[in-house]
Amino acid sequence: MDAVIFDVDGTLADTERDGHLVAFNLAFQELGLPHRWEVEEYGRLLDITGGRQRLQAYLETQGMAQAERDEIVPRLHARKNERFQELVADGHVAARPGVARVLDELEAAGIRLAVATTGSRVWVEPLLERLFGLSRFSPVITGDEAPVRKPDPSAYLQAVGQLGLPTSSVLAVEDSANGLTAARAAGLACVVVANDLTRDHDFGGAALVVDSFEHLDPAILARVTAAPH
Ligand code: XBP
Ligand code: MG
C-alpha cells in the first residue's frame, strides 16, 4: 500500500449532522423558504450526493418549478457553504474519533494521503486545514474538479491519476454506499468506516467494514489492500 485516498463527509469528519444539515436549514431560513430538514429525512436525502443536486431533487419533490429551482438553488447552496464555513471556524465540525491517529501512523509509515470528495473546494480546504493540516493531503480532488458526483468514479480516477500509482497499491476509505461504489468503479479496494447515518447501507464489495477508526491501523489497511478483491 503506497497511498490512501479519504472521503471527507462522514469519513474524515462528522460534517453532516452538525455541519451541512444545520447550514442548509439556515440557508432556507435566510432566503425566506419554509423548508427545514430533520436528521431522519436528511439521512435519506444523503443518497443524492452533492449539495446542489440534493437541493434540486428535494425542491422538485416539493413542487417547485424548474425555473424557480434554477434561480434559487445556486443562491441556497452558496449560502449553505458560507454558513458551513462559519460552523467549521467556530469548531462545530469535528474529526471522527481516531482518524487523526490513523493519519499520523500512515504518514510515519511513508504512505501518501489524498482526498476524493463530492464536496465543494470552498469549504473542503478550510475544513481539512483546521482539523488536520491541508498540506498533508495531495491531491485533494473536490466536487469542483469532479462535477459528476459519486457513485461516479471520476473523483477517484482523478486522484489515482495524480498520485501516479497503480490502483493495486492504493486504498480508498469511505463511509457510504455511494462512496464505496465510486471507489470500486475506479478499481480500488475500499474500507468502509460506517457512521450513524450510513450504518444501514449495503456495503457489499467492501474490503472491510468497521464502525470506528479505533479499529484501524496501517498494518490492517495494508493487509486488506493486498488481499484479492
Ligand atoms: C457528501 C455529499 C456532499 C455534502 C455537501 O458525499 O454529498 O454533498 O453533503 O457538500 P461524499 P456540497 O461524502 O460521498 O463525498 O454542498 O459542497 O456539495
Ligand atoms: Mg462520505
Side-chain angles (χ1 to χ4, degrees):
M1 182 177 68
D2 295 318
V4 181
I5 306 174
F6 289 89
D7 169 51
V8 175
D9 286 300
T11 301
L12 286 176
D14 279 318
T15 51
E16 298 292 1
R17 188 188 308 246
D18 305 327
H20 294 300
L21 171 58
V22 175
F24 276 118
N25 282 334
L26 286 169
F28 285 137
Q29 186 182 344
E30 288 169 20
L31 294 191
L33 292 174
H35 314 290
R36 301 289 182 273
W37 288 338
E38 303 289 339
V39 172
E40 200 182 320
E41 179 174 30
Y42 188 67
R44 288 192 297 274
L45 288 167
L46 285 175
D47 287 348
I48 307 156
T49 50
R52 235 175 278 119
Q53 293 77 354
R54 188 170 303 134
L55 287 166
Q56 270 284 355
Y58 170 76
L59 292 173
E60 187 177 2
T61 67
Q62 299 302 298
M64 187 183 282
Q66 172 95 52
E68 193 180 347
R69 297 201 308 269
D70 290 349
E71 191 273 324
I72 201 132
V73 164
R75 290 166 54 213
L76 272 172
H77 189 245
R79 195 65 77 99
K80 185 280 286 182
N81 282 345
E82 282 174 23
R83 294 294 160 266
F84 181 82
Q85 286 177 73
E86 289 165 9
L87 291 165
V88 170
D90 292 344
H92 293 290
V93 180
R96 286 194 65 183
V99 72
R101 172 193 54 81
V102 171
L103 295 178
D104 288 347
E105 290 177 1
L106 287 168
E107 275 184 333
I111 292 156
R112 294 161 66 187
L113 308 178
V115 160
T117 172
T118 65
S120 312
R121 185 168 291 280
V122 68
W123 63 258
V124 168
E125 286 192 344
L127 176 73
L128 293 177
E129 176 61 23
R130 180 179 171 102
L131 295 184
F132 310 109
L134 175 62
S135 62
R136 300 167 76 181
F137 303 95
S138 181
V140 173
I141 305 297
T142 71
D144 295 27
E145 294 77 50
V148 187
R149 303 306 209 240
K150 298 173 189 175
D152 186 274
S154 67
Y156 278 106
L157 291 172
Q158 289 186 51
V160 171
Q162 290 191 28
L163 284 166
L165 294 168
T167 51
S168 57
S169 73
V170 179
L171 177 69
V173 181
E174 276 286 351
D175 71 308
S176 71
N178 278 322
L180 169 64
T181 302
R184 299 293 291 131
L188 301 174
C190 182
V191 168
V192 172
V193 188
N195 59 46
D196 287 349
L197 290 168
T198 66
R199 194 149 288 139
D200 298 335
H201 290 191
D202 178 358
F203 293 129
L208 177 68
V209 181
V210 292
D211 61 8
S212 167
F213 281 92
E214 315 284 359
H215 307 306
L216 298 178
D217 62 37
I220 294 169
L221 296 178
R223 207 177 309 131
V224 300
T225 306
H229 57 270

